[in-house]
Amino acid sequence: MLKINTMKGHERMSTQDLLLAIEEAVRSGETDFDIEASGQHDIGGPLWHPEGKPLRFHVKNAGQRVGSMALPGTEIVVEESASADVGWLNAGGIITVKGDAGDTAGHCSSGGKIFIGGRGGTRTGSLMKHDPLYEAPELWILKNVGSFSFEFMGGGRAVVCGYDSAAYESVLGARSCVGMVGGCVYVRGPIGTHPADILAEELTQADIDFLAAGMEDFLAHIEREELMEGLTKWSEWKKLRPLSPEEKKAKAKNGSDMHAFRVSEWVKGGIFADVAHDDFAVHTTVSTGLYRLRVPHWDNAKFAAPCEANCPTGIPTQLRYDLIRMGREEEAIQLELDYTPFPGSVCGSVCPNPCMDACTRGTIDEPIQIGPLGYSAAFAKVAPPKEHTGKKIAVIGGGVAGLSAAWQLARKGHGVTVYDDAEHIGGKLEQVIPRGRLSHELLESELRRIESVGVQFVSSCKVDGEKFAAIRRENDAVVVATGGTKSRFFPWEGTGHLTMGLSYLKAVNRGEKPHTGRHVVVIGAGNSGMDTCRGAYGMGAESVVAVDVQRPAAFAHEIAHFESLGGKIVWPFFTAKITSEGVYAKDGTFIPADQVIVSIGEEPEMDFLPEDEGIAFFRKSWVVPKADQSIAKGVFTAGDTIKPGRLTDAIGSGRKAAWFVHQYVMGEEVQPFPERPQIPAERLSKAYFDKWHHCAIGDPVSDHARCVSCGTCRDCKMCLESCPEKAITREEYEDGSWAYTSDPDRCIGCGICAGVCPCGVWSIEDNPEKILMYSTGSKV
């Protein structure tokens, strides 16, 4: 006998490993098994000994489907109770459960015997069947069973002894024997109601002979022989069986033709003919057209993919990959440029890529390479607008948000001028981001592309109140996107010893040599803090320590680079005092330094805005715009003037501002900014994509094969090929796009299209169409 204990310490053997171990032992000639299980499935399944010897299993703590598909010659004994599907598809095994069985015991069994020494759950004995070439299956239950028992039973014999079940109104549960067309159920105790085509009969002598012979064997298997006398009082038993085909035909002949009676003999046109339309047709569950219970919808692009929904810029990467799959790579590049002027500088270089964090593919193996894909559009050319509106728009602030708004507005044909007080346009990309993180050649190329669509740059232009008023008079609209221009800090003791991180980084990027100590402490360990630390090392610092009150928020690779330079991060560190010797924390910790730089974020300075137009502010620094991002008549805002954010947030904010500015200058009715809900994860069938593994990961463009295309049809044709009624058709248009439609006259509303669609494009819903019934024309 082979003994298997599936728990070794705290480690549990998997179901697969257990079944493989059993199969290997059987192939080696083993016949007896003592298994100390821990909920594993399918124990004692379809096995046969190479010499045809019987196989015996003694199992404790079995999981679902014990004895499923068991073959003749297999005997299984389960101590105590077992969970669902005992003897599922049993094909000849003898299965004994000494306690209760869960739901669907004996489900689909077609041979062998199943002995249950307790109760059976819901749908016990459902779909039992009998192949006349073999012995009929048997299912013996000592006590009672749950609802829907013996549903759609087609053959075999079941015995429900009703022991210890006096508290139940029916030992067969509710709605027993529904759809039963064959076999029989022997039952002792109350049976409640049952379908009209099921007969409850007294036992014949043949029935008694079968039960008497089988009861002794049954009670012996479950070790309850003492119950023999109480369970063999045959007057307490009934036999349930379905009407035979002949009996059904005879019953139909004795009845009347209901349709003829209603139309001809009762009231002409029907009893409600004066108020309702009645065609007297009988519509079954499986119907087409108006009488379908459910209807499918091809919801292509109704939902945003997780990458799009989590990209503040709003780039629909799934649509880019659709174009690439169609061989239209240049259009995919241009599509990204419809959303951002910085696919290389931001998406491909400095963005944290929240799109990749949300990527569905990341739950399978690795996210789609969205950031590198963005870089493929870095040096692409864009044609200037063919038509011009004659409208003039000023953008104050040459950073990412302002340039994003300018890019969108110029491409709509407006004349756009960007004003900035710096010598070079580009905001933080130009002035703050270290050249080691962002190629200056790439940034300059993307700035030239913005100019190529008609945007004019005015640098070294300080905008004060008077200048702002003049700009406002000369333009149809103004976008204020001056960003965060002043380093933030808290009122620590000794703030006079602080160096402002923003000013420090700007000096570094201008090629200057700002004062840098030998030993530097940087307050702030986000990405800006890491940029400052990198800059300090570049300016000759011997040691740099970054401190923060929380876990560092910088990218992992930025932290790794800083630490590779010799840097150290200390957290949690609650700054209390800065001196010429270093920094003190609230707990007394002291870090020596001859320079302390603060880099915990920036806040805007907008003293040029008018004070008499009711512009709202948050904490006297950030503006609070209206729903259309306006702060005054004809004045809109975007980016860090509203709240601090990432560069991708600034691009998205600029897009949104441009949307409303365009409507304003064109005198159009204000429409909300277009946004789509994220596709629910449960609509996606990720299993379709499991075949692609790490070995399939190549360049970003070839990732179109791995992309799940969440919410957007990838034209896989699975719905077309799977529809059982051939109700789905595919139509292709001149531009290469396509659409799938479902013919209501063929569709039965089965929902297979929605079930097989890997991208969540097809959905199925209850039929919303009302059926015209009343002659008044109203609908129900």
Side-chain angles (χ1 to χ4, degrees), residues 277-582:
H277 303 285
D278 193 345
D279 58 6
F280 302 107
V282 176
H283 297 284
T284 62
T285 302
V286 181
S287 299
T288 61
L290 179 64
Y291 293 97
R292 289 176 293 173
L293 296 180
R294 302 187 301 170
V295 295
H297 297 283
W298 190 62
D299 295 328
N300 188 36
K302 175 182 178 181
F303 295 98
C307 58
E308 176 187 344
N310 288 274
C311 170
T313 301
I315 301 171
T317 294
Q318 73 282 9
L319 297 182
R320 285 191 284 166
Y321 275 125
D322 257 352
L323 291 168
I324 292 172
R325 275 189 286 271
M326 297 163 63
R328 295 154 63 175
E329 191 171 330
E330 178 58 32
E331 290 183 52
I333 289 173
Q334 292 296 320
L335 177 62
E336 178 160 18
L337 290 169
D338 288 343
Y339 290 81
T340 174
F342 295 113
S345 298
V346 177
C347 298
S349 298
V350 300
C351 183
N353 297 129
C355 52
M356 294 178 64
D357 291 338
C359 177
T360 300
R361 186 75 215 191
T363 64
I364 301 174
D365 42 39
E366 296 290 339
I368 299 301
Q369 302 171 77
I370 302 174
L373 178 67
Y375 197 88
S376 64
F379 297 97
K381 304 294 183 183
V382 172
K386 295 180 180 179
E387 298 181 0
H388 297 275
T389 64
K391 301 297 182 181
K392 294 172 60 180
I393 301 167
V395 176
I396 302 176
V400 171
L403 293 173
S404 173
W407 172 257
Q408 298 292 338
L409 292 166
R411 297 190 72 191
K412 291 183 178 295
H414 305 308
V416 182
T417 303
V418 176
Y419 299 88
D420 197 273
D421 60 0
E423 184 179 352
H424 299 287
I425 297 291
K428 289 181 180 177
L429 294 176
E430 167 65 33
Q431 302 165 23
V432 177
I433 303 296
R435 302 293 189 233
R437 284 184 63 200
L438 173 60
S439 163
H440 197 239
E441 177 188 2
L442 168 60
L443 174 59
E444 289 183 325
S445 173
E446 296 198 312
L447 290 172
R448 286 194 297 270
R449 182 169 54 205
I450 295 173
E451 288 183 295
S452 74
V453 297
V455 177
Q456 296 183 21
F457 293 159
V458 179
S459 58
S460 302
C461 179
K462 175 68 175 178
V463 176
D464 55 17
E466 183 178 346
K467 181 64 175 177
F468 177 78
I471 290 174
R472 193 175 180 186
R473 287 193 302 270
E474 295 163 4
N475 291 273
D476 297 291
V478 179
V479 178
V480 175
T482 48
T485 55
K486 182 173 64 175
S487 290
R488 297 174 59 206
F489 58 89
F490 293 97
W492 302 302
E493 183 180 342
T495 55
H497 295 287
L498 285 174
T499 298
M500 299 299 138
L502 187 61
S503 300
Y504 183 81
L505 286 174
K506 286 183 177 181
V508 171
N509 268 25
R510 287 195 299 267
E512 301 173 6
K513 296 288 185 178
H515 166 72
T516 303
R518 293 175 59 197
H519 304 289
V520 177
V521 168
V522 175
I523 301 176
N527 284 318
S528 295
M530 291 300 99
D531 288 342
T532 305
C533 293
R534 182 195 292 235
Y537 270 124
M539 292 296 104
E542 295 178 9
S543 70
V544 181
V545 177
V547 300
D548 209 320
V549 297
Q550 61 184 3
R551 180 184 293 274
F555 304 156
H557 67 272
E558 291 295 328
I559 294 174
H561 177 73
F562 168 56
E563 292 176 338
S564 72
L565 297 174
K568 181 182 178 182
I569 300 177
V570 178
W571 71 277
F573 186 96
F574 295 88
T575 302
K577 181 171 66 174
I578 301 102
T579 71
S580 58
E581 287 78 32

Side-chain angles (χ1 to χ4, degrees), residues 298-303 318-319 321-323 325-326 676 679 689 707-720 730-731 737-740 757-762:
W298 190 62
D299 295 328
N300 188 36
K302 175 182 178 181
F303 295 98
Q318 73 282 9
L319 297 182
Y321 275 125
D322 257 352
L323 291 168
R325 275 189 286 271
M326 297 163 63
R676 295 181 296 168
I679 188 168
F689 299 92
C707 176
V708 178
S709 193
C710 308
T712 301
C713 179
R714 64 188 286 124
D715 202 27
C716 64
K717 301 181 177 63
M718 288 182 65
C719 58
L720 191 70
R730 177 186 182 276
E731 185 174 357
S737 63
W738 62 84
Y740 286 84
C757 179
C759 310
V761 173
W762 282 100

Side-chain angles (χ1 to χ4, degrees), residues 103-138:
D103 295 342
T104 57
H107 178 67
C108 289
S109 64
S110 59
K113 298 179 181 180
I114 302 173
F115 301 129
I116 307 298
R119 308 186 196 280
T122 300
R123 289 192 166 87
T124 291
S126 62
L127 288 167
M128 286 179 65
K129 48 191 175 290
H130 177 210
D131 186 334
L133 295 178
Y134 301 93
E135 290 291 327
E138 296 180 23

